[in-house]
Amino acid sequence: MSKKKAERPDPTSLGLARVGVESHAHLDGEDFSPEELGDVLDRAAAAGLAQVGNVFLGPAAYQANRGLFANRPEVFFLMGIHPCDAAKAPAGAVAAMEAAFRADPNLRAVGEIGLDYHWDATTAELQKALFRDQLALARERNLPVAVHSREAEADTLAILDDLGFPGRPLVWHCFGGDAALAREITSRGYHISIPGPVTYRKNTALAEAVAGLDTARLLLETDAPYLTPEPWRGKRNEPALIVFTARRVAELLDLPVADLWQLAGDNARAFFRL
């Protein structure tokens, strides 16, 4: 017996007002051609997104690709050296970041930065040093931070505590933990950004964490092209599909989706000073 073909509703079917914010997407990578970016962003607007945060993975990517968004004022920028790139980060990379942040007011946050022991824990000391250097830049420039932490939560929180970051603007990007980790994060005054896997049926720990979140600390993201939400799972992710993540988060928090959409958008605008 053949499987029933998955229904893939159009994101505009939720009828959301254009007040949402996509807090974290990678639109300048190889998964999106420059020729289609206009259509991708038009679909995002039609789905209800007022702003889209594009994350450049280091100063070289920023310098090479920022021009892709020259005519899209709804796109704001984040930039940071990913922990998995710690071993190949060139000398002077953080200084180059600092110069870019001074020059470009559309660079709104340092990120994504942090620790990732899933792919290569042998670089842990390099990752920690780079993380500290980029946090110092964020503190010096009074910038928000977007943190990446995978299988490294204890060390990530310890470094943030050591550098006095509790109470500073910080978002835990692509949160996939449980309620206990969510409490550890929000107790420090940080935000949590919820990605598409919250829509996956078996992801019960994440669902429970979201159900207990303080909505004042909540952001939404796609991490496009990764982590596509249901009912589009299996296809390339893009900002427009964030509406299905919003729908699931609203369900878990027992809120109308339009209210959750507005709330998360307002939180992101305040966080990134948009």
Side-chain angles (χ1 to χ4, degrees), residues 83-269:
C84 290
D85 295 330
K88 60 185 180 183
V94 176
M97 286 175 56
E98 198 276 338
F101 276 103
R102 267 192 287 110
D104 186 354
N106 203 34
L107 278 165
R108 298 289 181 163
V110 177
E112 62 192 272
I113 65 173
L115 304 175
D116 191 317
Y117 299 166
H118 176 80
W119 294 110
D120 187 3
T122 64
T123 63
E125 294 311 310
L126 285 174
Q127 290 185 35
K128 289 177 184 178
L130 181 61
F131 187 29
R132 285 176 175 271
D133 287 347
Q134 293 182 97
L135 288 171
L137 167 60
R139 184 172 54 207
E140 178 184 336
R141 302 292 309 168
N142 192 29
L143 290 163
V145 171
V147 160
H148 172 110
S149 183
R150 189 170 185 188
E151 297 176 18
E153 292 81 7
D155 282 358
T156 302
L157 290 170
I159 288 173
L160 292 170
D161 289 348
D162 183 52
L163 294 182
F165 263 75
R168 297 188 67 86
L170 183 145
V171 60
W172 201 277
H173 140 70
C174 202
F175 181 78
D178 59 14
L181 179 59
R183 287 191 295 270
E184 287 277 3
I185 294 167
T186 56
S187 70
R188 291 165 167 83
Y190 303 151
H191 287 65
I192 288 178
S193 186
I194 306 302
V198 72
T199 65
Y200 303 169
R201 182 173 55 85
K202 294 182 179 180
N203 211 340
T204 55
L206 177 55
E208 290 169 3
V210 170
L213 275 182
D214 176 357
T215 56
R217 298 294 169 189
L218 172 68
L219 303 184
L220 299 172
E221 69 170 274
T222 60
D223 199 25
Y226 315 109
L227 304 177
T228 310
E230 298 286 1
W232 284 81
R233 191 177 182 183
K235 299 293 185 179
R236 182 191 69 178
N237 204 0
E238 64 174 70
L241 301 182
I242 198 172
V243 299
F244 300 111
T245 300
R247 181 174 65 183
R248 176 58 173 154
V249 170
E251 177 184 282
L252 290 167
L253 290 167
D254 196 24
L255 290 171
V257 65
D259 291 356
L260 183 281
W261 188 241
Q262 178 78 62
L263 181 153
D266 289 344
N267 288 348
R269 276 181 285 273

